[in-house]
Amino acid sequence: MKTFFWLQWVVSRATLVVSTRRVKLAFDVDDVISTVDVQQHYNQLKVKLASASVRHYERTSNDDWAAGVLRGRVLEAREPTNAKEDNHFLAVTITQAQISNLPPSWKEELHPKLLEQKTSTDSMWEIYATLAPLEVVLQPSVLENIVSLVHQMSPRSFCPLQGQVEQRVSTWQWPFCYVTAGGLRLLVTTEDENSENDDTFMFVVGKVTVNPHPENPICRSVLKSTF
């Protein structure tokens, strides 16, 4: 009898607000889909965020919250350059499997370097993540407010560990990470929206890809087999 466990949890919208007496930051996420899949051959966790953004607000003289400069934009996703691409904000898939229990057809899809490595553990971890192109709007006052919030949330004191810490041999294996990020556009601007002068610096980072098994594009032949 084949047994498995599958659970999906959907959150339509969630907001985290961090505030002080005069400023606040709002972290908004929409359509968060989390899936847990426990099978005989593998365990898998999937998390997908349709959209996410960060905005800042300032308290007015009427004791109300008003959006900051540029409608309070701090972080948001840009439109993908390719219309055929999935426009989700973030998608992460974490898979844990025991290599000896995998069917032969599944082992053929694994990278040869993964099967050749000699480790004391028989398990493997893989992380696939895709991130949408991001745009960050940074202003001196917003940066100052973020630093102030972090300072207020940091612990005032800490208690160091007493006694000698026992050293244990860990069998932890680092996962194989496959990451594709759509890029980053950082705008450093002033607080004057009506300024006619040049008041914005733009830093652009293109698409970033992380692969634990990159293919060497340059063909090389062995000159001396003794090396």
Side-chain angles (χ1 to χ4, degrees), residues 58-125:
E58 299 177 355
R59 191 182 295 275
T60 63
S61 57
N62 297 329
D63 205 23
D64 296 328
W65 291 108
V69 182
L70 299 177
R71 294 177 297 176
R73 293 164 50 203
V74 176
L75 172 66
E76 62 184 9
R78 295 188 287 115
E79 293 295 331
T81 55
N82 187 356
K84 297 182 180 180
E85 295 181 357
D86 193 359
N87 59 353
H88 60 263
F89 180 83
L90 175 66
V92 179
T93 301
I94 303 176
T95 305
Q96 184 272 334
Q98 193 169 359
I99 300 178
S100 59
N101 288 343
L102 293 178
S105 59
W106 290 19
K107 291 184 179 181
E108 294 177 358
E109 299 180 2
L110 297 178
H111 198 279
K113 292 183 179 180
L114 180 61
L115 299 177
E116 293 174 1
Q117 66 177 0
K118 297 180 180 179
T119 60
S120 58
T121 59
D122 188 34
S123 63
M124 55 164 286
W125 289 81

Side-chain angles (χ1 to χ4, degrees), residues 15 28 58 63 89 96 126 133 143 157 168 206 210 213 225:
T15 301
D28 297 322
E58 299 177 355
D63 205 23
F89 180 83
Q96 184 272 334
E126 284 187 343
L143 181 59
S157 61
R168 297 183 179 180
V210 177
H213 307 300
S225 59

Side-chain angles (χ1 to χ4, degrees), residues 136-150:
V136 178
V137 180
L138 194 59
Q139 300 167 352
S141 61
V142 176
L143 181 59
E144 181 182 357
N145 294 333
I146 294 176
V147 173
S148 176
L149 290 173
V150 173

Side-chain angles (χ1 to χ4, degrees), residues 181-224:
L184 173 66
R185 182 167 62 194
L186 174 62
L187 304 178
V188 182
T189 180
T190 62
E191 301 179 9
D192 187 4
E193 296 184 85
N194 301 321
S195 175
E196 297 180 357
N197 301 323
D198 297 335
D199 59 355
T200 303
F201 290 93
M202 180 184 296
F203 302 90
V204 179
V205 178
K207 187 176 182 179
V208 178
T209 302
V210 177
N211 189 337
H213 307 300
E215 298 294 337
N216 190 349
I218 303 177
C219 298
R220 294 183 174 91
S221 58
V222 179
L223 297 180
K224 293 183 179 181

